Short mmCIF file of all heavy atoms in Angstrom, two decimals:
data_model
loop_
_atom_site.label_atom_id
_atom_site.label_comp_id
_atom_site.label_asym_id
_atom_site.label_seq_id
_atom_site.Cartn_x
_atom_site.Cartn_y
_atom_site.Cartn_z
N LYS A 40 5.79 12.91 7.06
CA LYS A 40 4.97 11.73 6.82
C LYS A 40 5.68 10.91 5.74
O LYS A 40 5.98 11.43 4.66
CB LYS A 40 3.60 12.17 6.33
CG LYS A 40 2.59 11.07 6.32
CD LYS A 40 1.22 11.63 5.96
CE LYS A 40 0.11 10.67 6.28
NZ LYS A 40 -1.20 11.31 6.01
N VAL A 41 5.97 9.68 6.06
CA VAL A 41 6.68 8.82 5.10
C VAL A 41 5.72 7.72 4.66
O VAL A 41 5.14 7.02 5.49
CB VAL A 41 7.93 8.20 5.75
CG1 VAL A 41 8.66 7.32 4.75
CG2 VAL A 41 8.85 9.28 6.28
N LYS A 42 5.55 7.62 3.36
CA LYS A 42 4.68 6.57 2.81
C LYS A 42 5.55 5.49 2.20
O LYS A 42 6.36 5.76 1.32
CB LYS A 42 3.78 7.16 1.72
CG LYS A 42 2.82 8.21 2.24
CD LYS A 42 1.98 8.80 1.13
CE LYS A 42 0.92 9.73 1.70
NZ LYS A 42 0.04 10.27 0.64
N VAL A 43 5.40 4.29 2.71
CA VAL A 43 6.23 3.18 2.24
C VAL A 43 5.34 2.17 1.51
O VAL A 43 4.29 1.79 2.02
CB VAL A 43 6.93 2.48 3.43
CG1 VAL A 43 7.78 1.32 2.94
CG2 VAL A 43 7.77 3.47 4.22
N TYR A 44 5.77 1.78 0.32
CA TYR A 44 5.05 0.78 -0.46
C TYR A 44 5.93 -0.44 -0.61
O TYR A 44 7.06 -0.33 -1.09
CB TYR A 44 4.74 1.31 -1.86
CG TYR A 44 4.09 2.66 -1.86
CD1 TYR A 44 4.85 3.82 -1.95
CD2 TYR A 44 2.71 2.78 -1.74
CE1 TYR A 44 4.26 5.07 -1.93
CE2 TYR A 44 2.11 4.02 -1.72
CZ TYR A 44 2.88 5.17 -1.82
OH TYR A 44 2.29 6.40 -1.78
N VAL A 45 5.44 -1.57 -0.17
CA VAL A 45 6.21 -2.82 -0.29
C VAL A 45 5.46 -3.75 -1.23
O VAL A 45 4.28 -4.03 -1.02
CB VAL A 45 6.39 -3.48 1.09
CG1 VAL A 45 7.13 -4.81 0.96
CG2 VAL A 45 7.15 -2.56 2.03
N THR A 46 6.13 -4.19 -2.27
CA THR A 46 5.49 -5.09 -3.24
C THR A 46 6.34 -6.33 -3.43
O THR A 46 7.56 -6.28 -3.28
CB THR A 46 5.34 -4.39 -4.61
OG1 THR A 46 6.59 -3.81 -4.96
CG2 THR A 46 4.29 -3.31 -4.56
N LEU A 47 5.70 -7.42 -3.77
CA LEU A 47 6.44 -8.64 -4.12
C LEU A 47 7.21 -8.40 -5.41
O LEU A 47 6.72 -7.73 -6.32
CB LEU A 47 5.47 -9.80 -4.32
CG LEU A 47 4.93 -10.46 -3.06
CD1 LEU A 47 3.84 -11.46 -3.45
CD2 LEU A 47 6.03 -11.17 -2.30
N LYS A 48 8.41 -8.94 -5.51
CA LYS A 48 9.15 -8.85 -6.76
C LYS A 48 8.36 -9.54 -7.87
O LYS A 48 7.60 -10.48 -7.63
CB LYS A 48 10.51 -9.55 -6.61
CG LYS A 48 11.52 -8.76 -5.80
CD LYS A 48 12.85 -9.51 -5.76
CE LYS A 48 13.76 -9.02 -4.67
NZ LYS A 48 14.44 -7.75 -4.93
N GLU A 49 8.56 -9.06 -9.10
CA GLU A 49 7.82 -9.59 -10.26
C GLU A 49 7.90 -11.12 -10.36
O GLU A 49 6.94 -11.78 -10.74
CB GLU A 49 8.38 -8.98 -11.55
CG GLU A 49 7.87 -7.57 -11.85
CD GLU A 49 6.36 -7.52 -12.01
OE1 GLU A 49 5.78 -8.46 -12.57
OE2 GLU A 49 5.76 -6.52 -11.55
N SER A 50 9.06 -11.66 -10.03
CA SER A 50 9.28 -13.09 -10.25
C SER A 50 8.67 -13.97 -9.15
O SER A 50 8.68 -15.19 -9.26
CB SER A 50 10.78 -13.37 -10.32
OG SER A 50 11.40 -12.88 -9.15
N VAL A 51 8.14 -13.33 -8.11
CA VAL A 51 7.62 -14.10 -6.98
C VAL A 51 6.11 -14.31 -7.15
O VAL A 51 5.38 -13.36 -7.44
CB VAL A 51 7.90 -13.37 -5.64
CG1 VAL A 51 7.31 -14.12 -4.47
CG2 VAL A 51 9.40 -13.17 -5.46
N LEU A 52 5.67 -15.53 -6.99
CA LEU A 52 4.25 -15.84 -7.09
C LEU A 52 3.46 -15.12 -6.00
O LEU A 52 3.94 -14.97 -4.88
CB LEU A 52 4.02 -17.35 -6.92
CG LEU A 52 4.36 -18.23 -8.11
CD1 LEU A 52 4.10 -19.69 -7.74
CD2 LEU A 52 3.52 -17.84 -9.31
N ASP A 53 2.25 -14.69 -6.33
CA ASP A 53 1.42 -13.98 -5.36
C ASP A 53 0.08 -14.71 -5.22
O ASP A 53 -0.90 -14.37 -5.87
CB ASP A 53 1.22 -12.55 -5.86
CG ASP A 53 0.39 -11.72 -4.89
OD1 ASP A 53 -0.02 -12.25 -3.85
OD2 ASP A 53 0.17 -10.53 -5.19
N PRO A 54 0.04 -15.74 -4.38
CA PRO A 54 -1.20 -16.53 -4.26
C PRO A 54 -2.37 -15.71 -3.74
O PRO A 54 -3.52 -15.94 -4.13
CB PRO A 54 -0.83 -17.64 -3.28
CG PRO A 54 0.50 -17.30 -2.71
CD PRO A 54 1.14 -16.26 -3.55
#
Side-chain angles (χ1 to χ4, degrees):
Chain A
K40 192 174 195 176
V41 181
K42 297 178 173 183
V43 180
Y44 309 92
V45 177
T46 49
L47 282 173
K48 285 183 197 283
E49 280 300 323
S50 56
V51 178
L52 284 179
D53 182 0

